[in-house]
Amino acid sequence: MRVPLSWLREYVDLPAGETGRDVAAKLVDAGLEVETVEQLGGGLKGPLVVGQVLTIEELEGFRKPIRFCTVDVGSANGTGEPQEIVCGARNFAVGDKVVVVLPGAVLPGDFAIASRKTYGRTSHGMICSGDELGMGDDGTHGIIVLPPEHEVGTDAIELLQLVDEVLDIDITPDRGYCMSMRGVAREAATAYGLPLRDPALLDVPAPNSYGYPVKVDDPAGCDRFTARTVTGLDPDARSPIWLSRRLQKAGMRPISLAVDITNYVMLELGQPLHAYDRSRIEGTIGVRRAEQGEKFTTLDGVKRTLDAEDLVITDNSGPIGLAGVMGGANTEIADSVTDPETGQVTGTTDVVIEAAHFDSVAISRTARRLKLSSEASKRFERGVDPQAAAAAAQRTVDLLVLLAGGTAEAGVTEVIAPGAPRTIAMPADHPDRVAGMEYGRETVVRRLQEIGCDVYGQDELVVTVPSWRPDLAAPNDLAEEVIRLEGYGNLPSTLPQVPSGRGLTARQQLHRRVGRALAGAGYVEALSYPFIGEGVFDQLQLPAHDVARQVVKLVNPISDEEPALRTTLLPGLLGALRRNDSRGSHDLALFETGSVFRAAAQPGVAVRLPVDRRPTDEEIATLNAALPAQPRYAAVVLAGAREQAGWWGKGRPAGWADAVQAARALAAEAGTELVVRQGQYGPWHPGRCAELVVTLDGVEQVIGHAGELHPRVVKAMGLPARTSAMELDLDRLAAAGGEALRAPRISSFPVATQDVALIVDASVPASSVEAALRKGAGELLESLRLFDVFTGEQVGEGKKSLAYALRFRAADRTLTAEESTAARDAAVALAGERTGAVLRGA
């Protein structure tokens, strides 16, 4: 919501010296989010005046049309003589009033104006467009042509209200009333302790039986509908400068007088309105739900297919408006058209004004389904004051009569569904208990009355909520209002008392160790959003029955393209890798640790927990039972060079082995060892994929995969060639490692190293051979490492040679050669028994 400070001052007598930043600070203290304060006309310096075009000479011989004009600027140029100006615009004629900037002036952007020779003539100044003055688009894309009543030589800076300050406020969903000047003025008045001149306090005639006929078939979707009729409008009437400028400052483009007035009143009071060309309406105006598949063409010219949940405005011919979202092309206000022969101007002369209140949920669903967000739908989604409809209609009628020369018909239609004001019972000390400080009953009552509530009672307050605050529905909402108006900065800052002897949990400690280990290995942590679209599973080539495809979908997602919670960390990490690679960073190693979400067989319903006390164990258990399982995962992705080239060597590209080594590093931090063996799963290359296995309760479990991604996945996701990745279940890895991580024990006795080269069938996994060697070597084995794999004629067809380095060490003595040899032979013997391995050369 863009709020011009000059407009805001009409409703609140702000101190004369208050700047936009001062007002913004007050509003921020009151809980509004003021993003920026824009200085309009900053650096603008006159003379900038109203001029009248006297003559126009068309200059020939140039690539584009050029005109040499003389313009009467009165005495603004010091001589009273016509000003000679070269201009390329075509949307003005002799006799038109225009805006002229004279030599010596400075326009926005530090653009100094001086006399200069151009196109063979000397131009003494410039005839200005709205863009050149920083006014924004006025719809003409050309020179500003002023109404004829403005005198030559008038200061255009003041006339066009070029100097102002505009507050850009980000309105949160619970503050829909602030999407209007009325709502922001109310907040400013409260913040400064000043009275508010409410623009909705108008004399509104009572409804009668001879207004335009309206029938509401769905009172749940439309609980209030006001219709007023204005006839005899001048189709050639234009929006006055003050109206157009306020719309432009608020971020809206002037269109036509009738439309501009409805937009202006919407900005002023927060009530969306719509004006129908009365001559195009056939019979009674109705409000109903659309028929499934019904077709309707909106004002933007798009033919849309409606859903049975959509609210529509109708007449005898069918839909004429999409309620609360956008009007229909069939009843659009006609643009004025001038007959070139007679000079007669034709256009809409009679209008019916609609000011209605629609169900916010229905409007939100329609706007989202049709991807048709409008200024009206944004307001209805957040809640509009139903009591303001009649005042908004009256304000619109008054402006049409004043500015377009219309006549207001006496008929007033108002269809209202029965309803009662909302009341909330609240203990007077409830805000005290929520905030942790004492306000007292008088302060609570005063603050609630300032926001428009009626308050009765002593210890137990009965609060009647104002119609413009649909977000106030519970005692906690009222407590929040008291706290924010008293100032969040006044809340006491107290740290919770942590019992001695308690620190991080084992899960938290592992999480930190994992982050430090990966960062130490050269990985950079990337945090991604926990939302995904289901199309990413096809890009990752996951099978149709894969558990990762069973997602938890959000009822109200931030983006329709990513409506589900992630079941894997890879999409977010790979997206970060792709973005960085596209921006010139080609050597990448990223990691992330975080929760993934597993859908339950039967989704639960979460309960709303209290905020004025600690939830009970039963309430917490009920909430946890409704949540999806959220195991913590760790993942890495790599691309480009793993080791940079330089004078020290050629460097090395990142590969599948680095992804596997990252998994081994995490296992070491968890105090366990991974079994790494060949696997095949989803996004990984079938020949370069390792499955990561741990033993839990005596049973081997696959907890992740590592390796090089499949070329089709790389292509589908736009990744660098040979991208590698690893992902594993950190919680199951921690469970395999036990609770406490044991520090390594350093022996003072020397190590005995034995190398063995074993020949096995090519189909035998190296991990199986390694497991047999470990088992056979016994307790003396300190470590085992595969350092060479060889295939060729020397070992035979269908065979491979695996060379291992075995390190033996005893904790209490120096091993003899016989002891280490015996341990090696035992290891080789068990490997031969289990895998058919034989010593190479034997």
Side-chain angles (χ1 to χ4, degrees):
M1 177 70 187
R2 289 173 57 85
V3 178
L5 190 59
S6 59
W7 194 357
L8 184 64
R9 289 183 182 275
E10 284 198 4
Y11 313 119
V12 185
D13 290 326
L14 299 173
E18 288 292 277
T19 66
R21 296 191 179 278
D22 296 332
V23 177
K26 285 284 190 179
L27 294 178
V28 169
D29 288 342
L32 293 181
E33 299 180 15
V34 182
E35 294 190 332
T36 60
V37 179
E38 182 180 351
Q39 302 287 333
L40 300 184
L44 177 63
K45 177 185 176 183
L48 186 72
V49 298
V50 175
Q52 184 171 22
V53 180
L54 301 178
T55 65
I56 297 177
E57 178 187 351
E58 302 288 346
L59 301 182
E60 305 293 339
F62 300 102
R63 292 184 179 180
K64 61 179 182 178
I66 298 297
R67 311 167 96 185
F68 180 69
C69 310
T70 59
V71 185
D72 180 11
V73 295
S75 60
N77 57 5
T79 65
E81 297 294 325
Q83 200 79 2
E84 296 179 341
I85 298 174
V86 175
C87 183
R90 312 291 296 176
N91 67 312
F92 64 95
V94 172
D96 283 345
K97 298 288 181 68
V98 294
V99 178
V100 179
V101 58
L102 300 177
V106 179
L107 294 185
D110 199 25
F111 180 41
I113 302 299
S115 297
R116 65 189 183 96
K117 190 170 183 178
T118 179
Y119 297 102
R121 303 293 180 94
T122 300
S123 181
H124 301 281
M126 186 170 68
I127 302 175
C128 299
S129 68
D131 287 337
E132 289 164 339
L133 298 179
M135 295 170 57
D137 181 19
D138 62 357
T140 64
H141 303 288
I143 292 302
I144 300 171
V145 179
L146 299 171
E149 63 267 19
H150 297 293
E151 294 185 8
V152 169
T154 302
D155 183 6
I157 294 179
E158 182 178 350
L159 175 66
L160 299 177
Q161 304 171 23
L162 297 179
V163 178
D164 202 351
E165 293 181 276
V166 178
L167 283 63
D168 193 351
I169 305 176
D170 184 15
I171 307 299
T172 53
D174 62 330
R175 296 289 180 84
Y177 67 98
C178 284
M179 294 193 74
S180 67
M181 294 300 303
R182 180 195 185 200
V184 176
R186 188 180 299 278
E187 290 296 311
T190 302
Y192 280 94
L194 297 171
L196 169 71
R197 289 188 291 274
D198 191 346
L201 295 180
L202 301 174
D203 291 331
V204 179
N208 50 56
S209 60
Y210 44 93
Y212 199 93
V214 173
K215 181 183 179 182
V216 177
D217 292 330
D218 191 337
C222 176
D223 58 6
R224 185 179 295 260
F225 195 106
T226 300
R228 300 289 299 275
T229 303
V230 181
T231 60
L233 301 179
D234 179 4
D236 197 34
R238 298 172 53 186
S239 297
I241 291 175
W242 65 266
L243 177 60
S244 299
R245 288 297 293 136
R246 285 189 172 179
L247 291 177
Q248 287 176 321
K249 292 177 184 179
M252 302 187 76
R253 179 172 64 86
I255 299 173
S256 65
L257 179 56
V259 176
D260 292 349
I261 288 175
T262 58
N263 286 336
Y264 177 82
V265 175
M266 177 185 68
L267 292 173
E268 184 178 50
L269 301 182
Q271 169 66 54
L273 302 111
H274 190 71
Y276 300 95
D277 188 329
R278 183 176 179 178
S279 65
R280 298 185 179 187
I281 302 177
E282 300 178 13
T284 301
I285 292 178
V287 183
R288 62 169 171 81
R289 299 284 176 170
E291 298 175 3
Q292 186 66 38
E294 191 171 13
K295 306 293 184 182
F296 173 62
T297 302
T298 46
L299 280 173
D300 55 3
V302 178
K303 191 173 185 179
R304 305 183 185 276
T305 302
L306 304 182
D307 187 85
E309 288 190 354
D310 297 333
L311 273 173
V312 291
I313 312 298
T314 65
D315 65 3
N316 293 346
S317 65
I320 60 173
L322 197 55
V325 181
M326 187 175 287
N330 52 347
T331 56
E332 181 180 7
I333 300 295
D335 294 331
S336 61
V337 178
T338 303
D339 190 313
E341 296 181 359
T342 64
Q344 183 179 0
V345 179
T346 60
T348 298
T349 58
D350 301 339
V351 297
V352 176
I353 305 300
E354 165 209 308
H357 183 260
F358 301 110
D359 176 55
S360 60
V361 175
I363 302 306
S364 177
R365 287 176 176 172
T366 296
R368 287 173 179 267
R369 187 182 61 79
L370 296 176
K371 294 181 173 61
L372 188 61
S373 179
S374 64
E375 292 294 332
S377 68
K378 291 175 184 176
R379 286 164 173 78
F380 279 120
E381 287 174 2
R382 290 163 173 79
V384 169
D385 181 7
Q387 303 289 346
Q394 182 63 45
R395 178 72 163 136
T396 305
V397 169
D398 292 343
L399 289 173
L400 285 173
V401 171
L402 175 66
L403 303 177
T407 301
E409 288 195 352
V412 177
T413 302
E414 195 163 13
V415 180
I416 303 175
R422 289 176 295 114
T423 60
I424 302 173
M426 179 186 74
D429 63 346
H430 182 70
D432 300 1
R433 290 186 284 119
V434 172
M437 63 180 296
E438 184 176 349
Y439 293 117
R441 179 189 178 279
E442 290 74 15
T443 299
V444 171
V445 171
R446 175 172 57 85
R447 288 304 190 182
L448 293 179
Q449 289 174 339
E450 286 178 350
I451 65 172
C453 295
D454 291 330
V455 185
Y456 305 95
Q458 293 299 317
D459 295 337
E460 187 75 16
L461 302 180
V462 178
V463 181
T464 301
V465 176
S467 58
W468 59 84
R469 293 300 302 271
D471 58 301
L472 302 181
N476 292 329
D477 300 325
L478 300 178
E480 180 186 0
E481 293 298 300
V482 174
I483 294 168
R484 75 175 180 88
L485 293 177
E486 284 294 303
Y488 291 121
N490 296 324
L491 292 176
S493 299
T494 56
L495 293 175
Q497 297 295 321
V498 181
S500 60
R502 295 186 184 179
L504 298 176
T505 65
R507 190 171 188 256
Q508 292 170 329
Q509 290 174 343
L510 175 61
H511 183 208
R512 292 194 176 187
R513 291 200 306 271
V514 163
R516 285 195 294 266
L518 291 176
Y523 291 86
V524 176
E525 186 172 16
L527 302 177
S528 57
Y529 285 114
F531 311 116
I532 58 173
E534 294 182 81
V536 75
F537 299 131
D538 296 328
Q539 294 179 325
L540 294 175
Q541 297 192 17
L542 296 184
H545 60 277
D546 195 282
V547 67
R549 287 182 176 269
Q550 300 173 15
V551 297
V552 177
K553 290 188 177 181
L554 301 175
V555 175
N556 187 23
I558 294 177
S559 169
D560 291 339
E561 296 179 356
E562 295 181 333
L565 292 172
R566 67 187 179 192
T567 56
T568 168
L569 301 180
L570 290 181
L573 268 181
L574 294 174
L577 184 141
R578 179 179 61 249
R579 285 191 299 274
N580 282 275
D581 180 74
S582 68
R583 296 170 184 173
S585 298
H586 303 302
D587 303 325
L588 296 162
L590 308 178
F591 83 92
E592 182 175 10
T593 60
S595 297
V596 299
F597 304 86
R598 300 295 187 189
Q602 295 293 331
V605 178
V607 297
R608 178 177 292 184
L609 297 181
V611 298
D612 57 342
R613 60 173 174 81
R614 184 188 185 280
T616 64
D617 293 341
E618 293 76 12
E619 289 172 332
I620 296 175
T622 302
L623 178 63
N624 288 334
L627 299 177
Q630 302 176 46
R632 183 175 292 276
Y633 273 39
V636 304
V637 293
L638 307 99
R642 185 67 175 133
E643 295 177 1
Q644 294 290 338
W647 58 265
W648 53 83
K650 295 182 179 179
R652 178 177 66 82
W656 63 267
D658 296 295
V660 173
Q661 182 55 35
R664 292 185 186 275
L666 300 192
E669 294 298 329
T672 188
E673 289 191 9
L674 287 172
V675 175
V676 180
R677 60 193 183 203
Q678 185 175 2
Q680 183 172 345
Y681 177 67
W684 281 277
H685 192 297
R688 296 168 187 156
C689 173
E691 61 181 20
L692 311 174
V693 181
V694 295
T695 301
L696 280 171
D697 299 327
V699 178
E700 286 191 347
Q701 294 187 21
V702 177
I703 65 167
H705 295 82
E708 182 180 315
L709 296 182
H710 197 288
R712 285 199 290 267
V713 174
V714 169
K715 181 179 180 180
M717 302 192 74
L719 303 172
R722 310 298 293 269
T723 297
S724 299
M726 179 277 294
E727 183 177 38
L728 56 75
D729 186 332
L730 206 53
D731 286 345
R732 286 198 286 170
L733 181 68
E739 289 293 329
L741 181 64
R742 294 183 178 275
R745 182 175 180 179
I746 306 300
S747 174
S748 59
F749 296 96
V751 67
T753 302
Q754 296 275 358
D755 293 345
V756 295
L758 304 176
I759 298 176
V760 297
D761 291 338
S763 61
V764 175
S767 59
S768 299
V769 178
E770 180 179 329
L773 289 173
R774 288 184 183 277
K775 182 70 173 177
E779 295 181 355
L780 294 179
L781 181 66
E782 181 181 77
S783 66
L784 181 150
R785 180 174 63 88
L786 175 66
F787 66 86
D788 185 54
V789 179
F790 176 77
T791 58
E793 296 180 358
Q794 294 89 332
V795 298
E797 185 177 355
K799 302 288 185 178
K800 62 182 177 182
S801 171
L802 305 176
Y804 291 91
L806 289 77
R807 292 166 58 90
F808 298 98
R809 196 192 314 253
D812 56 350
R813 68 188 186 282
T814 299
L815 293 177
T816 64
E818 291 77 9
E819 287 178 307
S820 61
T821 300
R824 181 203 65 182
D825 293 342
V828 171
L830 188 59
E833 178 183 337
R834 292 188 174 182
T835 66
V838 297
L839 279 173
R840 185 174 176 181

Coordinates of all heavy atoms in Angstrom, one line a residue, residues 5 37-38 158 249 258 271 359 525 739 771 810 818:
L5 N 2.0 11.2 1.8 CA 1.9 11.9 3.1 C 1.0 13.1 3.0 O 0.2 13.3 4.0 CB 3.3 12.4 3.5 CG 3.5 12.9 4.9 CD1 3.1 11.9 5.9 CD2 4.9 13.4 5.2
V37 N 10.5 4.9 2.2 CA 9.8 6.2 2.1 C 10.4 6.9 0.9 O 11.6 7.2 0.8 CB 10.1 7.1 3.4 CG1 9.5 8.4 3.2 CG2 9.6 6.4 4.6
E38 N 9.6 7.1 -0.2 CA 10.0 7.6 -1.4 C 9.8 9.1 -1.5 O 8.8 9.6 -1.1 CB 9.2 7.0 -2.6 CG 9.6 7.4 -4.0 CD 8.8 6.8 -5.1 OE1 8.0 5.9 -4.7 OE2 8.9 7.2 -6.2
E158 N 3.6 23.0 -8.1 CA 2.5 23.0 -7.2 C 1.2 22.4 -7.8 O 0.5 21.6 -7.1 CB 2.2 24.4 -6.6 CG 1.1 24.4 -5.5 CD 1.0 25.8 -5.0 OE1 1.8 26.7 -5.3 OE2 0.0 26.0 -4.2
K249 N 0.4 8.5 -7.4 CA 1.2 8.3 -6.2 C 1.0 7.0 -5.5 O 1.9 6.4 -4.9 CB 1.0 9.5 -5.3 CG 1.5 10.8 -5.8 CD 1.2 12.0 -4.8 CE 1.6 13.3 -5.4 NZ 1.3 14.4 -4.5
A258 N -15.0 7.8 -14.5 CA -15.8 6.9 -13.7 C -14.9 5.8 -13.0 O -15.1 5.5 -11.9 CB -16.9 6.2 -14.6
Q271 N -13.0 -0.1 0.4 CA -14.1 -0.8 -0.2 C -14.0 -0.9 -1.7 O -14.1 0.1 -2.4 CB -15.4 -0.2 0.2 CG -16.6 -0.7 -0.5 CD -16.9 -2.1 -0.2 OE1 -17.1 -2.5 1.0 NE2 -17.1 -3.0 -1.2
D359 N -17.5 -13.0 0.7 CA -16.8 -13.9 1.6 C -15.3 -14.0 1.1 O -15.0 -14.2 0.0 CB -17.4 -15.3 1.5 CG -16.6 -16.3 2.3 OD1 -16.4 -16.1 3.5 OD2 -16.2 -17.3 1.7
E525 N 27.9 -24.5 3.1 CA 26.5 -24.8 3.5 C 25.5 -23.9 2.7 O 25.7 -22.7 2.6 CB 26.3 -24.6 5.0 CG 24.9 -25.0 5.4 CD 24.7 -25.0 6.9 OE1 25.6 -24.4 7.6 OE2 23.8 -25.7 7.5
E739 N 25.1 -43.8 21.4 CA 24.9 -42.5 22.1 C 26.2 -41.7 22.2 O 26.2 -40.5 21.9 CB 24.3 -42.7 23.5 CG 22.9 -43.2 23.5 CD 21.9 -42.1 22.9 OE1 22.2 -40.9 23.1 OE2 20.9 -42.5 22.3
A771 N 34.8 -56.9 4.1 CA 34.1 -57.4 5.3 C 34.7 -58.7 5.7 O 34.9 -58.9 7.0 CB 32.6 -57.5 5.0
A810 N 49.1 -53.9 18.3 CA 48.6 -54.3 19.6 C 48.7 -53.2 20.6 O 49.5 -52.3 20.5 CB 49.4 -55.5 20.1
E818 N 55.7 -62.9 12.9 CA 54.9 -64.1 12.8 C 53.4 -63.8 13.2 O 52.5 -64.3 12.6 CB 55.4 -65.2 13.8 CG 56.7 -65.8 13.3 CD 57.9 -64.9 13.6 OE1 57.7 -63.8 14.3 OE2 59.0 -65.1 13.1

